[in-house]
Amino acid sequence: MRLPPDSLAHALSIAAAALGKLRQGTALPQAVDGACQGQPGPVRGAVQDLAYRATRWLGSTDWLIRTLIPRPPAEGAANLLRVALAQLLDEPPPYAPFTVVDQTVRAASADPKLAHGKGMVNGVLRRFLREQGALVAAMQADPVAATNYPQWWIDAARSAYPEAWQHILAAGNQRPPMVLRVNPRRVTVDAYLARLAEAGIDADRIGEQAVRLARALPVAELPGFAEGDVSVQDAGAQLAARLLDVAAGQRVLDACAAPGGKTGHLLELADNLEVTALESDAARAMRIRENLARLRQTADVCVGDAAKPDTWWDGRPFDRILADVPCSAAGIVRRHPDIRWLRRPADLKALATLQRDIVRALWTCLAPGGKLLYVTCSIFPTEGEAQAQWFERHLQDAIRLHAPGQLLPAAPDAAQAGGFVPGVSSLPVDHDGFFYAVFQKRP
């Protein structure tokens, strides 16, 4: 049986295939891209939404499958059930329950490998709907099922933040807002908010240059996006360029720069900056060039390893260095829910070693009196405060300056309260998790 290409059953089937790739170790964006090859844009959008919801609920759906099915089902059937159950668990539900059941059974029937199990799929989903309240209540006794994080991640968050770990995990399970950075060289925040209102787009200000949309839109529908008036960037990430305190004429290095959001922001904040944007991956370096072209900005985009300056540095010291180093990305799981399932505890130790190697190497490139900003998009102290303290002890002539330190993800309820007041508020009201530390080299 061939599924109509515009049907939910078709999208469910492809999303299940993407989830299968994720469970084999493929990052979710690449998993979705691979599963959606040859599919039109609307289908890809539907698959992406289904797959991301399923990934956020993976702990719960795994528990439900273990509880409702005596023997482990085939992986294809299990992935289809994971995607379907996630749609039934989500609030608000994206589809009517009877529609999810009907379309999931149709998806199973259309797959020769799953057709014999369509009765099992139908029975599991209908039983879940009959017993949903009791099942969800029982699920709370299992930490992984209740929080939708692996146990090691839960333990690490609880150890680091005994009073706030539940809030942190809950914030990471929310759907992220679409946040824009307004380019002050082209338009003021107030003027851009007025343009959005005129276009019927609801938005509010949540940071110095940050505007949060009430609902996500394709960038092609944003006024002035193609002309460089705005960029898409989390409000917490927008702090980086400002903390670096750039001034006209300085020589600046943006290490680990792709996709170029922070590079563009630096160039928006000061005139005549001599910026080098460093990236180890040539394909990702192309993204930097594309983003800068849209912003009508220029920088020296260089392909090289930040930990090995002798392969790319010309020997001229930098006045400012932005070290946005590779990390676990534990602070941005609301945007990348697959991270929690792909990371392993051993990754944190390896990343901490890499972070130290990069910062020590970059420190040799910094001019006396210059500043280096250390950034991770993580919530784990081993990548944040513990590293900052290590740098204080081991970087020659380093002075640690004031910076926000650990920025935890905004609570879902707090993110909606109040607003950003220029000149009064110092931090955005809705953001991902980041760590910021600034070091100055003694003159």
Side-chain angles (χ1 to χ4, degrees), residues 33-53:
D33 285 344
C36 286
Q37 285 187 355
Q39 298 294 331
V43 172
R44 190 193 187 287
V47 169
Q48 178 171 296
D49 183 67
L50 291 167
Y52 272 70
R53 289 178 192 267

Side-chain angles (χ1 to χ4, degrees), residues 180-204:
L180 310 178
R181 185 188 76 240
V182 178
N183 185 348
R185 291 183 175 273
R186 295 186 58 86
V187 63
T188 66
V189 174
D190 288 342
Y192 192 74
L193 283 170
R195 287 170 63 184
L196 290 175
E198 186 177 349
I201 300 172
D202 189 16
D204 63 332

Side-chain angles (χ1 to χ4, degrees), residues 26 106 161 224 268 290 304 323 328 350 354 398 412 440:
T26 303
R106 288 177 182 271
Y161 310 102
E268 290 170 3
E290 292 167 0
S328 66
L354 176 60
Q440 185 171 35

